[in-house]
Amino acid sequence: MTVRLYLKKSRKKRLEHGHPWVYQSEVEGVEGTLTPGCTVEIVNHQGVFLARGYANPQSQIIARVLTYSPSEAVDENLFFTRIRAAWEYRQQFLQDTGACRAIYGEADFLPGLIVDKYNDILVVQILSYGMEVRKDWILQALKDVLQPRGIYLRNDVPVRRLEGLSLEADVWFGDVPDEVEILENGLRIVVNVREGQKTGYFFDQRDNRAAIAPLMRCGANQQGARVLECFCHTGGFTVHALHYGAAHVTAVDISEPAIDVARRNAALNGFNNVEFVVANAFDYLREAERNGQRYDVVILDPPAFAKSRRALEGAIRGYKEINLRGMKLLRDGGFLVTASCSYHMLPDLFQETLLDAALDAHKILRLVHWSGAGKDHPEIAGVPEGHYLKFAIFQVHSRG
Ligand code: SAH
């Protein structure tokens, strides 16, 4: 029997705008019995079909959409079709599909499923009950479309608890090494696919890492830039900076395992004009300022300081502090490369915070580049949460 969710008349038309989540508070009534992961038809208050998806009565997000077509069933074929479409999209828009985000959940019409591709190894996150109970179909479709040698499940993410799912990380299929070497913009990068942060590597900044190229040579005789990168993780921006001609990079991260891999990534690409530091970036920046250090370029790509709206006040202070200090460490006319991956830090607020930092630091900012995540992180227009990454390059001029 078809289970139906009736939505309230008074709700906002988020679903019609492409937002695939239905919250408990939007539901008027249920026809049939909801069980975790069951297929459900989502209808408006008059019973008119809106979408079909899966439900989870234990979650605040009571249902997520898989199809807007009344004639499309939620079956194995839907998963194959979606996964194939996601892959075709990458092939159409990425220059190199060897390593990329192959499936980006909601934005690929597969809510709750993330797949990162590291050559022939896939790292998968299953973030919802509806996806968990359809794992066999997902596995089959991934094998058919992407032909991996091995798949690793990184289901050790706390959001799974909100769905009533346990946390685990294990081989799902085939043969999975501890590490994979990928190519990004022609550079060699080692990724720890079993124990790295999140799914191992942050693909969303791929194009932004390439965007720093023009900053790495400065002055009339084009000498190499002196660069400070804070929150370097496994050295993505650092190896790019060196490749594009930086004279020297100092790269800081609080995680020793991340710095170990960053060190190897620099060596793998033949660079030794780099110093790696395991430290809290807040302390490092304060210390560098006290010592009167100066750089041509400062790169700041911190973790999400605001994981919720409640954490926003503290996050704003954090973003302001690191950016203010970063600006002060630049020579006149140097470049600040700065990012925020907190959705709650909306673009306008991020810009305001940077402006506020510039005011206190007595700097004038000239915008060189503004962007978001790369094309393997598509965005659905009606889903603001998908627009999480802000990335900017400013030239920083002294005032007063
Ligand atoms: N720029 C990186 C991604 C950064 S992810 C890239 O391009 O791959 C954020 C990083 O910040 C993580 O590696 C994490 O270990 C580090 N981190 C978190 N808090 C920190 C702190 N207080 N000081 C320094 N590093 C920190």
Side-chain angles (χ1 to χ4, degrees):
M1 192 193 121
T2 307
V3 183
R4 276 199 187 86
L5 273 188
Y6 283 79
L7 302 191
K8 287 183 180 159
K9 188 179 178 195
S10 59
R11 77 197 158 90
K12 286 204 186 115
K13 292 221 163 106
R14 290 182 318 113
L15 191 134
E16 289 88 331
H17 281 141
H19 202 305
W21 295 356
V22 177
Y23 288 101
Q24 298 264 9
S25 59
E26 296 172 301
V27 175
E28 180 77 55
V30 183
E31 192 177 288
T33 309
L34 285 182
T35 53
C38 73
T39 298
V40 72
E41 224 175 81
I42 302 160
V43 300
N44 75 5
H45 62 285
Q46 295 167 314
V48 176
F49 178 93
L50 295 174
R52 189 174 286 122
Y54 58 75
N56 184 358
Q58 304 169 26
S59 168
Q60 278 304 312
I61 305 169
I62 192 168
R64 303 193 203 201
V65 172
L66 286 166
T67 178
Y68 296 95
S69 160
S71 60
E72 191 175 31
V74 175
D75 59 12
E76 191 163 2
N77 186 52
L78 180 144
F79 282 80
F80 176 77
T81 310
R82 291 282 183 283
I83 288 173
R84 190 182 51 191
W87 184 230
E88 284 170 358
Y89 183 92
R90 273 49 179 190
Q91 288 173 311
Q92 187 171 5
F93 289 106
L94 299 187
Q95 273 173 4
D96 180 0
T97 51
C100 62
R101 173 145 294 185
I103 298 172
Y104 184 37
E106 279 65 1
D108 282 304
F109 307 104
L110 286 166
L113 178 67
I114 303 287
V115 179
D116 279 346
K117 176 178 181 294
Y118 301 101
N119 305 334
D120 55 0
I121 300 299
L122 304 179
V123 177
V124 175
Q125 286 182 329
I126 293 184
L127 305 172
S128 63
Y129 217 109
M131 284 294 168
E132 182 78 19
V133 298
R134 293 172 179 83
K135 267 167 87 174
D136 292 349
W137 294 347
I138 295 168
L139 180 59
Q140 192 56 51
L142 288 175
K143 285 200 241 175
D144 290 346
V145 176
L146 295 165
Q147 278 130 30
R149 170 161 67 96
I151 309 182
Y152 200 72
L153 264 185
R154 281 302 296 269
N155 283 344
D156 50 346
V157 246
V159 290
R160 274 174 62 94
R161 292 212 182 94
L162 303 177
E163 289 279 307
L165 296 166
S166 60
L167 308 196
E168 54 176 357
D170 208 350
V171 175
W172 194 13
F173 161 75
D175 168 29
V176 179
D178 291 345
E179 293 182 345
V180 180
E181 187 186 313
I182 59 165
L183 273 182
E184 180 178 79
N185 301 315
L187 291 158
R188 297 167 70 184
I189 308 269
V190 166
V191 178
N192 185 328
V193 290
R194 287 174 181 246
E195 289 174 355
Q197 294 184 26
K198 304 275 177 74
T199 60
Y201 191 65
F202 298 100
F203 283 127
D204 53 358
Q205 296 275 32
R206 182 199 306 104
D207 295 347
N208 298 332
R209 293 188 188 104
I212 66 172
L215 318 180
M216 294 303 147
R217 299 203 156 270
C218 34
N221 42 8
Q222 293 284 286
Q223 74 264 35
R226 298 188 64 79
V227 179
L228 171 65
E229 184 191 4
C230 288
F231 313 96
C232 72
H233 188 232
T234 53
F237 279 99
T238 287
V239 291
H240 281 75
L242 293 163
H243 174 64
Y244 297 133
H248 187 270
V249 180
T250 303
V252 181
D253 199 283
I254 205 165
S255 157
E256 191 149 2
I259 287 285
D260 284 344
V261 177
R263 208 174 259 127
R264 286 169 53 207
N265 283 333
L268 199 60
N269 291 284
F271 302 122
N272 56 16
N273 42 342
V274 51
E275 179 196 10
F276 289 102
V277 184
V278 178
N280 185 328
F282 285 84
D283 299 338
Y284 191 90
L285 286 163
R286 200 175 307 127
E287 193 65 16
E289 193 188 325
R290 196 173 309 141
N291 296 338
Q293 294 279 2
R294 285 292 172 273
Y295 298 93
D296 299 304
V297 180
V298 171
I299 304 172
L300 303 170
D301 180 22
F305 288 157
K307 296 220 164 67
S308 66
R309 209 177 311 165
R310 262 175 303 151
L312 196 54
E313 280 305 309
I316 294 171
R317 276 198 300 280
Y319 286 113
K320 180 173 173 187
E321 176 170 345
I322 58 170
N323 282 287
L324 187 148
R325 293 197 196 282
M327 290 174 200
K328 285 188 175 175
L329 289 173
L330 286 168
R331 67 159 167 85
D332 190 20
F335 293 94
L336 177 72
V337 178
T338 186
S340 163
C341 59
S342 306
Y343 157 67
H344 297 283
M345 192 77 190
L346 297 174
D348 284 355
L349 182 57
F350 186 49
Q351 283 193 5
E352 252 172 60
T353 306
L354 294 170
L355 204 54
D356 205 21
L359 183 75
D360 288 6
H362 290 252
K363 303 289 182 187
I364 301 290
L365 301 179
R366 176 154 79 158
L367 183 63
V368 178
H369 181 91
W370 178 270
S371 65
K375 294 221 165 34
D376 49 352
H377 291 64
E379 290 177 25
I380 305 277
V383 186
E385 294 91 336
H387 187 61
Y388 68 98
L389 184 65
K390 283 79 56 189
F391 175 85
I393 301 176
F394 291 100
Q395 191 170 32
V396 180
H397 296 274
S398 300
R399 170 178 70 79

